[in-house]
Amino acid sequence: MEIRPVGTDAAALASYEALFRACFPGAGHLNAAYLQWLYARNPAGTVIGCDAWEGERLAAHYVCVPAQAVVNGRAMRTMLSLNTATHPDFQGKGLFTRLADATYQLGAQAGIGAVYGVANANSTPGFLRKLGFALVRPLDARVGFGRIERAAPVAAADGFRRDWSQAALEWRIANPQRAYRLVRAGDGTIGAEAATGKPGLLAWDELALPAGMPSPARSPAWAMRLHLGLRPGGGRPQGLWFEIPQRLRPSPLNMIFRPLAEGVAVPAADSVRLGQLDFDAF
């Protein structure tokens, strides 16, 4: 079995699309057009990851997406653990662990300070036991109306937050499979909303307006909002919001974090600012 860095050319993306099709028959969004946007167009850099090849067969694949962030008051390059797949013919051979270890080595060599992710209940234990991640905190899941915070984000209080530039944000909301639109939210904050596939329910996130970026002219749509994420101290919602009971969540989600550079610490559980835009829930 040969371990190689991932590619972003047409042939590589076609091989990844075929692997995803074999592993996840219902995930039609993982096509070459989506992968080209995600893997090659990100202003923060192309994906970092590794593939396992058995001769001419792609056995397994794992990538992390570079992202600028602030961790415990320090600006740094991080990466989001995202796409992984092992062909059914090669499962049970420990390939994901090998690919993850190789990927984190590449990330550290490229100046990445930490890797973070959002894992479901089934995959979280493997990340913690085998890959050296720490559990930061289970994500909040809320539905309601209004804003998820009464005031503009306070950056100094954040142990972790994505540091969105205008270019990076414009790339992010242009996801060819589920585009967001930016709307006014006030107080130096903008909202981002996207369809969830359920009538009358929009995915909703809020973030600080990037420096130099004009405030959106659009008004928010009148609909119930769904927010998945974390806010420092649990946040201070404005409006009418309800926490979704655990028994009604299809798969509870957890934020996980692993330092890759010296001096980087796991952020405190009540100091994280995370939303759908930051981990690709929609």
Side-chain angles (χ1 to χ4, degrees):
M1 190 72 66
E2 182 183 5
I3 306 299
R4 307 177 196 164
V6 297
T8 57
D9 58 18
L13 297 181
S15 69
Y16 303 149
E17 180 180 11
L19 178 64
F20 289 134
R21 194 162 51 241
C23 296
F24 315 115
H29 70 286
L30 295 171
N31 55 38
Y34 169 79
L35 296 175
Q36 208 278 335
W37 164 80
L38 179 64
Y39 285 23
R41 295 183 186 171
N42 181 0
T46 57
V47 288
I48 297 172
C50 290
D51 299 327
W53 290 86
E54 183 70 50
E56 296 300 313
R57 294 189 70 191
L58 177 61
H61 169 72
Y62 175 56
V63 297
C64 295
V65 180
Q68 284 295 130
V70 173
V71 180
N72 297 319
R74 176 181 164 193
M76 68 179 67
R77 292 188 73 206
T78 64
M79 57 187 188
L80 167 66
S81 175
L82 199 57
N83 288 348
T84 181
T86 300
H87 193 281
D89 293 346
F90 297 94
Q91 291 177 2
K93 301 180 183 296
L95 289 179
F96 173 59
T97 301
R98 290 179 61 188
L99 293 184
D101 287 339
T103 295
Y104 304 151
Q105 290 180 27
L106 290 177
Q109 292 166 11
I112 300 292
V115 55
Y116 77 98
V118 171
N120 62 28
N122 291 330
S123 60
T124 297
F127 278 100
L128 304 187
R129 289 198 309 265
K130 297 180 180 179
L131 298 178
F133 279 78
L135 172 64
V136 177
R137 199 182 124 194
L139 267 56
D140 297 326
R142 296 171 176 170
V143 293
F145 300 93
R147 290 176 53 182
I148 55 174
E149 290 186 284
R150 289 194 174 103
V154 181
D158 296 343
F160 176 91
R161 66 176 171 87
R162 284 285 294 268
D163 190 9
W164 289 102
S165 67
Q166 180 175 349
L169 185 57
E170 289 175 346
W171 164 79
R172 174 63 183 87
I173 66 173
N175 180 336
Q177 292 299 328
R178 193 183 295 272
Y180 273 81
R181 73 170 199 158
L182 299 180
V183 297
R184 295 194 306 270
D187 301 327
T189 305
I190 52 177
E193 56 187 25
T196 63
K198 298 184 182 298
L201 182 65
L202 293 176
W204 176 259
D205 199 1
E206 293 168 17
L207 64 157
L209 182 68
M213 184 175 182
S215 182
R218 293 173 172 171
S219 298
W222 178 250
M224 182 171 285
R225 295 169 174 173
L226 168 67
H227 180 259
L228 304 175
L230 296 171
R231 285 297 186 269
R236 298 173 60 212
Q238 181 182 49
L240 184 63
W241 290 88
F242 301 95
E243 191 75 19
I244 300 174
Q246 290 287 340
R247 68 181 185 278
L248 298 180
R249 303 184 193 184
S251 179
L253 300 174
N254 302 305
M255 182 184 177
I256 55 176
F257 187 95
R258 173 179 164 169
L260 296 180
E262 287 289 329
V264 178
V266 177
D270 64 351
S271 69
V272 172
R273 190 177 303 280
L274 188 80
Q276 288 101 313
L277 290 177
D278 305 325
F279 64 93
D280 208 38
F282 293 95

